[in-house]
Amino acid sequence: MSLGDPAGIYRAPELRQSSLVLGWSDDAGGVGRKVTEYLNRKLKGQEVAEIDPEDFFSLGGVAVRSDLAQFPESKFYACQAHELVVFRSDPPRVEWYRFLNSILDVAERHCRVKELCILGAMVTASAHTTPRQLFAVFDSAETKGSLSQYGLVGDMDYQTPPGERPTLNSFLLWIAKGRNLRALSLWVPIPFYLARVEDAQAQKKVLSFLDERLNLRIDFSDLNQEIQEQNEKLAQARSLSPEIDDYIHRLESNLMLSDEENGELIKKIESSLRERS
Amino acid sequence: MGIRLYQEPRLENPVMVASWPGIGNIGIIAVDTLREMLGAEEFGEIEPWHFFYPKRVLIRKGVLECLEFPGSKFYFRTMEKGDLILFIGEEQPAEGGRVYAEGKKAYCMANLVLDVAEKFKCRRIYTSGAAVALTHHTMKPRVWAVPNSEGLIREIRGYENTVLMSDIEGRGGQGNITGLNGLLLGVAKRRGLEAICLMGEIPVYLQGLPLSYPKASKSVLEVLSRDLEIEVNLDKLDELDEKIERGIEEFYRQIPLEVRGQLDRLRHVTYTEPSEPGPITEEEEQRIMQEVEKFFKRRGEGG
């Protein structure tokens, strides 16, 4: 098994005590991709390193998304003025342990990262109008205590149900814990009917926490506009379709929909958002 | 990536018996039964994180407490007539959704297991798996034995209820042993270590079902216990077998009469000593397989 360093460093960023924000490109509601893109755009992130995909992805062809051929990317961006490193990647298909360790090797050795924040989305049977909470899992009780002022919901008890496997985020959090790197994994709820489209409200929830925690002072006016537009589109979809309105109303009342109704709502919302974009 | 030994027991002339999951979990049930019955003590493991994706996370009050990986553990038991090392791999280090390991990781794991075998000077290694055979679930499964050196063939011929590949009609001594239960044999050969794979027969029509087949594990254990000169109480395995057999019978009754009629003929197949009404011809074998495949396809489509 080859254990060579799979990371390529373009230039060493000048960072002293930075934080790493990590997002996966295929998250529900576009959370990982959009949040990392947004941070890079707003904070002028510069590409500084990447992990070679060869050992971690099946390179038997390319996937096509939105008419474009895709190729797995695993890149680091440095926002020097803010002591922030952003890592965005497709989730690896094999060699997870080596891949996740490579991320932390680059972060700790080349970017002097002292804190890791892993972004995640959890698909829920709730309505988009329900106020969003931000759940967190910490590497230690100390980290949890030090982040108590940010309104995170951090009292979760959980164990993997039979037949399922832990998430890649839990795997990474565990590796960070083993390295004594302060780390937390964030989980923002995404209404199931927005999981395959973008959920700007969920993105804002995560970004607001990062803004406060890392003292980024981001102007969110563009994102607020996006949220308003999405809410308007959803409200319009409800007003045009009594069926959509009924489904969402039931979710707002904490009532479950049947599998068939779930499928119907996803289909209608996705096509409605596409028509109006 | 390596081996962690919690203790280094003094073992005399040990034999290693290793197994990973496979069709019907035949080998792993046999080795695990041996471990339980002999009260074998865990003494080491292969560090799992390079090989496996974790299997369970435990979070308490928002703090990650632990992450568990599939185990690859070594056990030992001192015995009157030669000591024993057992290795049980909870999963094969397979990638891309495959069940069986192959490639670098499989080779690396096989070598780590054999490092332990060599460290404790094991005189022989056994692995165990499944042999998919044209047999019936009411028949006593035979054990197919594949050694990694010619010198072992004579010995194997003396085993009861055991056949070599060349005894299986139409195989001409050829075949494949998929995954680590087979690979370990090859890597052992490369390292000059004596090894035998014992495969319990599972009926061809059960190979795709998500069930264990302890009846074949029992056959494997009978061969192993005779060779290792140990007494094995198979009562627990008998209980498990009875329970699973009831499920198999229920499944068998759901098979259309026409297909079942063909499968019933397997009750009379023995390749080495044909009995009435005679072995199934190649043409008939193909027809049975086609019927079985058709049945499962219809079943899969909800028909």
Side-chain angles (χ1 to χ4, degrees):
Chain A
M1 211 180 309
S2 150
L3 288 174
D5 188 354
I9 317 290
Y10 309 142
R11 59 189 185 86
E14 288 172 22
L15 298 162
R16 290 185 308 272
Q17 192 161 0
S18 67
S19 298
L20 170 64
V21 172
L22 178 147
W24 305 110
S25 305
D26 68 346
D27 249 359
V31 169
R33 182 171 51 82
K34 291 292 281 188
V35 168
T36 50
E37 269 174 16
Y38 193 86
L39 288 173
N40 281 337
R41 183 158 50 83
K42 288 282 186 173
L43 307 175
K44 299 184 173 54
Q46 298 284 309
E47 203 176 310
V48 291
E50 75 173 315
I51 296 176
D52 193 323
E54 186 186 347
D55 294 346
F56 309 107
F57 296 90
S58 154
L59 300 177
V62 293
V64 179
R65 242 179 277 144
S66 306
D67 297 331
L68 290 173
Q70 308 289 318
F71 193 71
E73 277 190 355
S74 310
K75 292 188 172 174
F76 293 86
Y77 305 82
C79 311
Q80 287 191 181
H82 301 274
E83 286 289 327
L84 174 67
V85 180
V86 174
F87 177 76
R88 182 175 59 244
S89 174
D90 293 281
R93 301 292 173 212
V94 289
E95 294 281 345
W96 308 277
Y97 183 71
R98 191 152 81 90
F99 185 89
L100 298 175
N101 269 295
S102 298
I103 298 172
L104 298 187
D105 286 347
V106 172
E108 290 191 298
R109 284 184 206 154
H110 301 282
C111 305
R112 299 185 185 178
V113 165
K114 305 293 177 208
E115 182 172 301
L116 165 68
C117 180
I118 310 162
L119 310 181
M122 55 184 184
V123 178
T124 58
S126 57
H128 65 281
T129 48
T130 309
R132 304 296 167 90
Q133 288 179 304
L134 192 52
F135 295 85
V137 180
F138 306 91
D139 67 302
S140 65
E142 291 71 38
T143 307
K144 181 180 166 179
S146 72
L147 297 172
S148 59
Q149 70 271 39
Y150 297 101
L152 300 169
V153 183
D155 281 318
M156 197 193 295
D157 282 330
Y158 174 84
Q159 63 174 311
T160 316
E164 290 181 25
R165 291 274 167 145
T167 60
L168 205 52
N169 292 3
S170 294
F171 201 171
L172 180 58
L173 187 64
W174 178 78
I175 294 173
K177 184 184 172 101
R179 289 177 173 230
N180 290 321
L181 174 65
R182 194 166 61 233
L184 77 156
S185 165
L186 294 177
W187 294 98
V188 63
I190 309 281
F192 64 92
Y193 50 90
L194 295 179
R196 290 195 303 209
V197 290
E198 285 168 9
D199 183 354
Q201 212 176 321
Q203 294 156 21
K204 168 85 185 291
K205 187 76 190 173
V206 173
L207 281 162
S208 299
F209 163 74
L210 295 172
D211 185 55
E212 199 184 343
R213 168 71 187 150
L214 305 173
N215 196 22
L216 303 175
R217 296 179 189 179
I218 295 174
D219 171 12
F220 286 119
S221 50
D222 52 351
L223 191 56
N224 289 337
Q225 175 73 23
E226 212 179 297
I227 292 169
Q228 195 184 329
E229 280 169 18
Q230 186 167 46
N231 285 341
E232 280 167 11
K233 282 177 196 168
L234 289 165
Q236 206 178 352
R238 285 180 83 163
S239 68
L240 290 173
S241 162
E243 217 177 354
I244 291 182
D245 187 49
D246 173 53
Y247 291 154
I248 294 180
H249 182 70
R250 279 156 62 192
L251 291 172
E252 287 169 337
S253 313
N254 283 329
L255 296 171
M256 296 290 282
L257 304 182
S258 69
D259 287 348
E260 206 177 311
E261 289 168 332
N262 282 342
E264 194 67 20
L265 181 58
I266 292 170
K267 218 163 95 185
K268 282 180 189 285
I269 289 289
E270 285 180 2
S271 88
S272 160
L273 289 178
R274 248 180 252 125
E275 270 170 28
R276 288 171 180 78
S277 44
Chain B
M1 175 173 15
I3 299 157
R4 244 196 310 181
L5 294 182
Y6 321 133
Q7 56 168 307
E8 294 201 13
R10 277 172 181 264
L11 301 175
E12 268 182 48
N13 215 16
V15 163
M16 177 184 270
V17 187
S19 192
W20 286 268
I23 295 170
N25 288 325
I26 291 166
I28 203 151
I29 290 177
V31 182
D32 199 48
T33 303
L34 208 54
R35 177 196 63 79
E36 203 184 327
M37 262 176 344
L38 300 176
E41 192 179 334
E42 187 182 327
F43 73 99
E45 64 174 330
I46 292 175
E47 290 175 341
W49 31 87
H50 276 290
F51 293 101
F52 301 105
Y53 194 84
K55 64 172 186 179
R56 182 173 165 263
V57 66
L58 180 64
I59 295 163
R60 228 176 250 151
K61 294 204 175 303
V63 175
L64 188 146
E65 292 237 320
C66 72
L67 197 69
E68 283 175 21
F69 291 80
S72 304
K73 296 184 172 175
F74 295 94
Y75 305 82
F76 78 95
R77 178 78 165 91
T78 51
M79 315 279 290
E80 253 176 51
K81 293 174 181 169
D83 297 334
L84 203 56
I85 292 180
L86 304 176
F87 171 82
I88 298 177
E90 203 180 331
E91 269 181 34
Q92 298 215 16
E95 286 176 348
R98 287 190 293 266
V99 177
Y100 296 105
E102 59 178 51
K104 284 181 191 169
K105 278 195 182 174
Y107 184 61
C108 182
M109 175 155 285
N111 273 303
L112 289 172
V113 173
L114 294 177
D115 286 347
V116 173
E118 285 207 278
K119 182 179 172 62
F120 289 93
K121 299 187 169 51
C122 287
R123 62 183 163 88
R124 178 177 292 178
I125 293 131
Y126 286 99
T127 67
S128 179
V132 176
L134 273 176
T135 182
H136 197 268
H137 63 275
T138 53
M139 308 280 285
K140 180 182 173 72
R142 295 174 307 175
V143 175
W144 296 14
V146 176
N148 71 350
S149 74
E150 212 167 335
L152 293 167
I153 288 179
R154 198 184 154 87
E155 180 188 319
I156 289 170
R157 287 211 185 279
Y159 292 175
E160 274 178 41
N161 190 37
T162 303
V163 290
L164 289 157
M165 280 283 191
S166 57
D167 296 326
I168 315 293
E169 192 173 87
R171 285 198 170 261
Q174 317 283 324
N176 281 309
I177 308 170
T178 317
L180 270 159
N181 292 318
L183 184 67
L184 198 72
L185 222 59
V187 182
K189 182 176 184 155
R190 192 165 184 260
R191 291 169 72 150
L193 294 165
E194 202 171 81
I196 300 173
C197 181
L198 299 173
M199 294 173 283
E201 283 185 332
I202 181 166
V204 64
Y205 51 91
L206 298 181
Q207 65 167 317
L209 298 183
L211 55 75
S212 297
Y213 198 58
K215 185 183 271 196
S217 310
K218 206 174 134 186
S219 293
V220 168
L221 268 180
E222 283 167 356
V223 174
L224 260 179
S225 58
R226 248 174 256 130
D227 196 46
L228 300 173
E229 295 183 70
I230 48 177
E231 291 252 336
V232 179
N233 181 341
L234 297 171
D235 290 352
K236 227 173 161 182
L237 214 49
D238 282 334
E239 270 174 43
L240 182 64
D241 178 34
E242 271 171 37
K243 196 174 148 197
I244 287 175
E245 187 95 3
R246 281 197 293 273
I248 293 174
E249 278 298 338
E250 208 177 300
F251 156 78
Y252 198 73
R253 278 194 297 273
Q254 289 170 24
I255 296 176
L257 209 58
E258 188 190 344
V259 182
R260 214 186 322 153
Q262 299 282 351
L263 295 180
D264 277 341
R265 301 186 63 194
L266 297 173
R267 291 177 200 266
H268 309 288
V269 173
T270 67
Y271 286 120
T272 42
E273 294 168 31
S275 63
E276 287 304 319
I280 283 174
T281 64
E282 206 173 310
E283 199 181 311
E284 284 169 328
E285 179 185 325
Q286 274 178 7
R287 200 170 60 239
I288 290 175
M289 285 313 298
Q290 278 166 5
E291 292 285 353
V292 170
E293 272 168 31
K294 256 196 272 174
F295 167 68
F296 281 112
K297 206 172 164 195
R298 279 200 302 270
R299 214 166 170 255
E301 287 162 358

